[in-house]
Amino acid sequence: MTQRFCLAILQKCSVKESVIGAYLGAEMIGWVLALVKKSLNTKIHMFCLDFATAMLANVVHSRTCQEALAPQPKVVTGIIRDILRIINEPPEKL
């Protein structure tokens, strides 16, 4: 239950441009992608997935994140590949 509340708070705060640097510093993009991958083989509460992926969308959409990732095309490519693998690969191959 605590995880759900924490994710809800983080998701709600993720619309504030001023906090995006903290999310990037905490490597939240990788954390959310790992959580989604884990959910393919392990039961993760739908609330957690919903709020975590909404937070990911807010962070990636932010100007701060886009500016931070612009000079790092390999990192961006890795994020995109991870997302595409989650969508396309069977869970046992992830």
Side-chain angles (χ1 to χ4, degrees):
M1 178 95 81
T2 303
Q3 184 184 40
R4 286 182 252 168
F5 288 128
C6 290
L7 279 168
I9 292 165
L10 289 169
Q11 188 276 328
K12 295 294 184 185
C13 292
S14 69
V15 299
K16 305 271 187 201
E17 192 71 41
S18 60
V19 301
I20 298 301
Y23 288 73
L24 296 174
E27 300 182 10
M28 291 302 291
I29 294 172
W31 184 86
V32 172
L33 292 174
L35 179 69
V36 174
K37 285 179 192 176
K38 181 179 178 180
S39 76
L40 298 173
N41 296 310
T42 305
K43 184 168 174 61
I44 302 290
H45 198 282
M46 186 56 70
F47 182 96
C48 294
L49 290 172
D50 186 32
F51 276 75
T53 55
M55 178 181 58
L56 177 64
N58 290 340
V59 170
V60 172
H61 185 258
S62 73
R63 180 183 44 80
T64 301
C65 182
Q66 290 179 16
E67 288 174 358
L69 292 177
Q72 301 181 61
K74 288 183 181 181
V75 172
V76 175
T77 301
I79 292 168
I80 292 169
R81 282 192 179 136
D82 282 347
I83 292 169
L84 290 171
R85 276 190 211 112
I86 290 168
I87 292 169
N88 292 315
E89 292 287 335
E92 61 276 0
K93 286 194 172 186
L94 293 172

